[in-house]
Amino acid sequence: MKKLFSLLLLVLSVSVAFSQNTIPSNGSEYCSKKKCSAGFLMLSPENPAYYPPVHSYDVQKYTLSLNLYHCYITPYPHDFTANEIIDFIVDSTLNSITLNANDTSLSITSVGGAGTTFTHANDLLVIHLDRTYNPGEAASVTINYSHKNYPDYSFYVNSGMVFTDCEPEGARGWFPCWDRPSDKAKLELTAKVKSDVKLGSNGALMDSTFSGDTLIYHWQSIHNIATYLMVMSSKVGYNLDIKYWHKLSNPSDSIPLRFYFNTGETPYAMEDTLVSMITYYSQEYCEHPFQKNGFAALNSDFPWGGMENQTLTSICPNCWEEGLMSHEFAHQWFGDMITCATWADIWLNEGFATWSEAHWKESYMGYSGYKATINGDATNYFGGNPGWAISDSSWAINTPPVYILFDYSITYCKGACVLHQLRYVLGDSLFFAVLHAYCADTNLRFKSATIRSFNDKVNQVTGQNYDWYFAEWIYKPNHPVYSNTYNFKDLGNGTWQAHLFLTQVQTNAPFFKMPVQVRMVFADLTDTLFRVMNDTNDQGFTWVFNKQPVILQFDPYDQIVLKQGSTMVGIPEASGPSAGAELYHNIPNPVRNTTEIDYRTVSEGTATLEIFDQTGRMVLRPAEGIQEAGLHHVTVDCSGWASGIYIIKLTAGGEIRTGRMTVAH
């Protein structure tokens, strides 16, 4: 454990040092840097707690009573005493329950209620019950415990400030719990502190009682909370502002917005902004769902970003910035009201919050401001893509390291772009109808959801099956690389033909089915926009016009932001039926090393076989000269060629025949 702890400190030092030299450009990057610096998840695979115990009960409520008084007095120790009550319903026949409880930071004194005896080892607390319980029965256990004077990277104490920070699985560091996002429960928290301390937590403040130099806070949430979203934020001499937001459904009713801030900070502009933000998100998603809300600025132990604790978001010191707040506050809908069921479903949290950051800009900068933010997310994805998918099914069982779970380029940037592309695929009307229906679903509100839950909601609202979209963009890595060609042909009699050939050449991902827009500009400077479904690779589309096309643009408004490649003018095909020559498809195609090209000449004469790249440059002439009539065969070595589309051109019998081949190393 000492070696592991030393390594943990080294990793944290490197992470913080890197962060302090890199200024984030938006709220999502702040958020990613913060979460990637979390240290408490660094469990050894040999540790049994690395693999979650089988869950056989459903926690209904955690009731915590904590004595934190001397944590605010020099030398500011981390130890405190506590009592906990866990109410739960049995899901399968059992006579014991297993909880997550870090034995490096927690010491269990006794258990009671339905609990009789316990064992605490390997970060697991097993409480033996007074009898065997059957499915559907309710039970309650009490736990008396203490937190050791140990910095566990979930319970923080420093110079009069005490706070918690738990994502993804740090709650087990300050109270025994079932520490997985799927089991949400109510929280009632009572904390004994010094009389000059302000302390915020989840839910509503029921009362605060003075007794001499002691103050007892009593917080209670009527809504279920995931354990990683349970929080305390407190400080000696904390500043507190309270504003009120009036509900859209009942303007005479309001909720408090509590802003905790350090001396010298100026949150006032953001306080007013948050009131507008709640209104906008309430209109776009559903009405704000909680009893209260607010933000708490912490200290240098929380150097970056924010943490979307339910109804009380933590932010770094003096980080009252609109981008960060718009990202974190969107989590109250996407992550808090509806929580990812497993860490394999993290896209439902971070992808949606990052997209919402762009959507908030859309409220006052219009679509161009929104799209510029999405384009920036796409750029960040391409600049840092590590090559894994947004969701990996194994993460549902074994929590990945935080640098994977909260990777900025994938979880945040690609996540937001995938949601933007879904908006493009569905159209605004259906897309926002999906968001409304998702947030209003009583089977999901204040509960947990999987990506499949959202996929099903898309299918339900649209009446179409969009499983293909999720399969390629969520569960597969990387993105399409297009190598498209097109040509125009004068057909005579005042008509012209435009032909577009769509090809994807990526070798690190399968084919991506997508609807694509094509803009055609004509010689008279008019234009028209087509939308076609590109559902197979090497797919051609042909249009005939009664005026001359001069420009073809593939995806002209860059709606498929997660793509690379080019669309080039190709070699035009010969007109008229073939009489002098035939060119057959090369085998194999795509080509990795060598390929075989067959062609037939009808009569003896000069025949030339040439291969061109996408720019029209000839790269090889494998056959040339007088040839007899009949079938001809050549072998072409492409092993040193760049991956991409190549044009094969056969000239024989006064005719030209063309074909396309793909080189994919």
Side-chain angles (χ1 to χ4, degrees):
M1 180 57 69
K2 184 175 181 180
K3 289 180 67 177
L4 177 60
F5 183 62
S6 298
L7 176 60
L8 184 150
L9 287 177
L10 175 61
V11 171
L12 286 177
S13 298
V14 171
S15 176
V16 171
F18 171 78
S19 299
Q20 290 172 341
N21 291 319
T22 309
I23 304 300
S25 60
N26 50 41
S28 57
E29 188 174 3
Y30 264 108
C31 182
S32 173
K33 286 183 179 296
K34 180 267 155 191
K35 293 178 179 179
C36 284
S37 70
F40 45 74
L41 188 61
M42 294 186 65
L43 297 172
S44 166
E46 288 76 26
N47 189 322
Y50 187 85
Y51 304 98
V54 174
H55 195 41
S56 53
Y57 59 92
D58 180 10
V59 177
Q60 302 297 295
K61 183 179 180 181
Y62 295 98
T63 303
L64 298 175
S65 180
L66 314 175
N67 185 349
L68 306 174
Y69 184 90
H70 72 291
C71 296
Y72 304 93
I73 302 173
T74 184
Y76 308 112
H78 286 73
D79 58 300
F80 64 82
T81 58
N83 173 266
E84 177 179 12
I85 302 172
I86 302 179
D87 300 310
F88 61 94
I89 293 176
V90 175
D91 285 342
S92 60
T93 303
L94 53 78
N95 56 20
S96 67
I97 62 170
T98 300
L99 298 163
N100 302 110
N102 290 355
D103 43 28
T104 53
S105 53
L106 298 183
S107 177
I108 311 302
T109 306
S110 63
V111 298
T116 56
T117 59
F118 70 91
T119 59
H120 185 204
N122 296 318
D123 298 322
L124 298 176
L125 172 62
V126 179
I127 300 178
H128 304 282
L129 304 178
D130 54 0
R131 63 178 177 85
T132 297
Y133 287 80
N134 296 312
E137 290 192 273
S140 177
V141 297
T142 62
I143 306 169
N144 293 303
Y145 72 96
S146 61
H147 189 284
K148 302 174 185 178
N149 188 17
Y150 175 80
D152 57 9
Y153 302 98
S154 60
F155 180 74
Y156 292 80
V157 180
N158 190 340
S159 301
M161 174 169 274
V162 175
F163 67 89
T164 60
D165 182 45
C166 299
E167 192 179 21
E169 294 171 354
R172 64 188 71 182
W174 64 283
F175 69 100
C177 57
W178 171 252
D179 199 15
R180 302 290 280 182
S182 58
D183 192 7
K184 301 172 70 171
K186 295 177 176 61
L187 174 67
E188 184 170 359
L189 184 144
T190 302
K192 180 179 179 181
V193 301
K194 288 177 78 266
S195 59
D196 54 356
V197 169
K198 290 186 177 68
L199 182 145
S201 186
N202 309 96
L205 180 61
M206 307 307 293
D207 58 64
S208 54
T209 307
F210 281 101
S211 178
D213 67 345
T214 299
L215 181 57
I216 299 176
Y217 283 95
H218 180 197
W219 288 90
Q220 185 170 351
S221 175
I222 62 173
H223 297 113
N224 289 333
I225 314 172
T227 51
Y228 78 91
L229 297 169
M230 296 179 178
V231 70
M232 294 186 298
S233 298
S234 64
K235 185 181 181 181
V236 174
Y238 230 169
N239 296 294
L240 173 63
D241 277 358
I242 302 177
K243 284 188 170 286
Y244 292 88
W245 177 76
H246 294 270
K247 296 181 178 180
L248 302 182
S249 59
N250 182 10
S252 63
D253 191 10
S254 62
I255 64 165
L257 306 176
R258 302 174 71 92
F259 300 88
Y260 297 86
F261 59 100
N262 301 300
T263 299
E265 296 182 347
T266 53
Y268 313 114
M270 286 299 101
E271 293 175 6
D272 293 333
T273 297
L274 188 66
V275 174
S276 300
M277 197 178 292
I278 297 179
T279 298
Y280 185 66
Y281 285 164
S282 293
Q283 292 168 335
E284 296 297 278
Y285 307 144
C286 71
E287 186 162 66
H288 178 271
F290 298 116
Q291 300 160 274
K292 74 115 175 34
N293 227 299
F295 283 77
L298 303 179
N299 60 19
S300 58
D301 289 335
F302 191 93
W304 283 119
M307 177 59 217
E308 65 273 12
N309 308 300
Q310 191 163 305
T311 74
L312 185 62
T313 296
S314 300
I315 60 173
C316 48
N318 205 30
C319 290
W320 300 96
E321 299 181 3
E322 184 177 324
L324 176 61
M325 294 182 69
S326 64
H327 176 98
E328 298 300 341
F329 199 65
H331 276 305
Q332 298 301 313
W333 285 262
F334 304 111
D336 293 15
M337 183 185 75
I338 301 178
T339 305
C340 60
T342 75
W343 298 119
D345 305 299
I346 191 65
W347 177 64
L348 298 176
N349 291 21
E350 299 302 347
F352 281 53
T354 304
W355 179 86
S356 293
E357 188 179 343
H359 190 44
W360 166 246
K361 289 185 180 178
E362 188 173 5
S363 71
Y364 61 90
M365 295 177 65
Y367 185 82
S368 61
Y370 158 83
K371 187 55 165 50
T373 305
I374 292 296
N375 289 346
D377 290 333
T379 298
N380 286 323
Y381 160 72
F382 287 120
N385 175 25
W388 58 68
I390 287 177
S391 179
D392 185 322
S393 60
S394 68
W395 299 350
I397 306 300
N398 301 322
T399 306
V402 290
Y403 71 85
I404 292 179
L405 187 61
F406 301 116
D407 179 83
Y408 180 53
S409 59
I410 296 294
T411 303
Y412 293 79
C413 294
K414 185 177 184 181
C417 291
V418 167
L419 203 55
H420 162 75
Q421 291 183 169
L422 182 63
R423 178 180 181 177
Y424 155 68
V425 169
L426 300 184
D428 276 13
S429 179
L430 283 175
F431 175 77
F432 286 103
V434 167
L435 293 187
H436 280 286
Y438 177 68
C439 290
D441 192 330
T442 55
N443 292 317
L444 301 176
R445 284 171 63 89
F446 309 112
K447 299 175 185 176
S448 299
T450 62
I451 294 173
R452 182 73 240 182
S453 306
F454 184 72
N455 186 344
D456 288 343
K457 189 60 63 179
V458 171
N459 293 349
Q460 175 190 342
V461 171
T462 62
Q464 302 291 325
N465 188 330
Y466 283 96
D467 292 3
W468 59 268
Y469 183 85
F470 291 82
E472 63 191 29
W473 290 109
I474 298 293
Y475 302 111
K476 301 296 183 183
N478 300 309
H479 53 271
V481 180
Y482 289 95
S483 184
N484 305 326
T485 56
Y486 72 93
N487 59 66
F488 301 135
K489 182 188 297 185
D490 184 350
L491 300 179
N493 300 317
T495 59
W496 284 263
Q497 174 184 286
H499 181 75
L500 173 65
F501 195 77
L502 299 180
T503 300
Q504 295 178 25
V505 297
Q506 65 274 6
T507 58
N508 56 5
F511 172 78
F512 288 81
K513 169 184 173 181
M514 281 293 284
V516 299
Q517 291 181 329
V518 179
R519 178 173 178 253
M520 207 76 65
V521 181
F522 300 94
D524 62 2
L525 300 184
T526 60
D527 69 340
T528 189
L529 188 68
F530 301 93
R531 177 165 163 142
V532 297
M533 177 57 79
N534 180 204
D535 50 16
T536 62
N537 208 355
D538 298 322
Q539 188 173 22
F541 298 91
T542 301
W543 298 269
V544 176
F545 307 102
N546 58 6
K547 53 185 175 180
Q548 182 181 2
V550 293
I551 297 174
L552 183 151
Q553 293 177 317
F554 169 77
D555 191 20
Y557 305 111
D558 192 27
Q559 297 290 10
I560 308 174
V561 291
L562 298 175
K563 71 175 186 305
Q564 292 177 311
S566 61
T567 299
M568 308 289 293
V569 177
I571 298 172
E573 297 179 355
S575 59
S578 174
E582 291 289 346
L583 176 65
Y584 303 106
H585 290 296
N586 63 296
I587 300 174
N589 190 27
V591 185
R592 295 193 180 276
N593 295 303
T594 61
T595 190
E596 310 296 324
I597 302 175
D598 291 335
Y599 62 94
R600 181 185 297 277
T601 55
V602 175
S603 59
E604 181 178 358
T606 301
T608 305
L609 187 68
E610 300 167 302
I611 302 176
F612 299 81
D613 66 14
Q614 299 171 71
T615 67
R617 179 180 65 88
M618 188 182 69
V619 296
L620 185 66
R621 183 178 290 135
E624 182 181 24
I626 302 297
Q627 296 188 5
E628 295 179 353
L631 182 66
H632 304 276
H633 175 85
V634 296
T635 300
V636 177
D637 183 357
C638 305
S639 58
W641 297 12
S643 295
I645 294 295
Y646 291 81
I647 306 299
I648 306 171
K649 178 183 177 184
L650 171 66
T651 304
E655 296 184 354
I656 296 174
R657 292 289 168 260
T658 61
R660 294 172 177 82
M661 73 176 185
T662 302
V663 175
H665 296 302

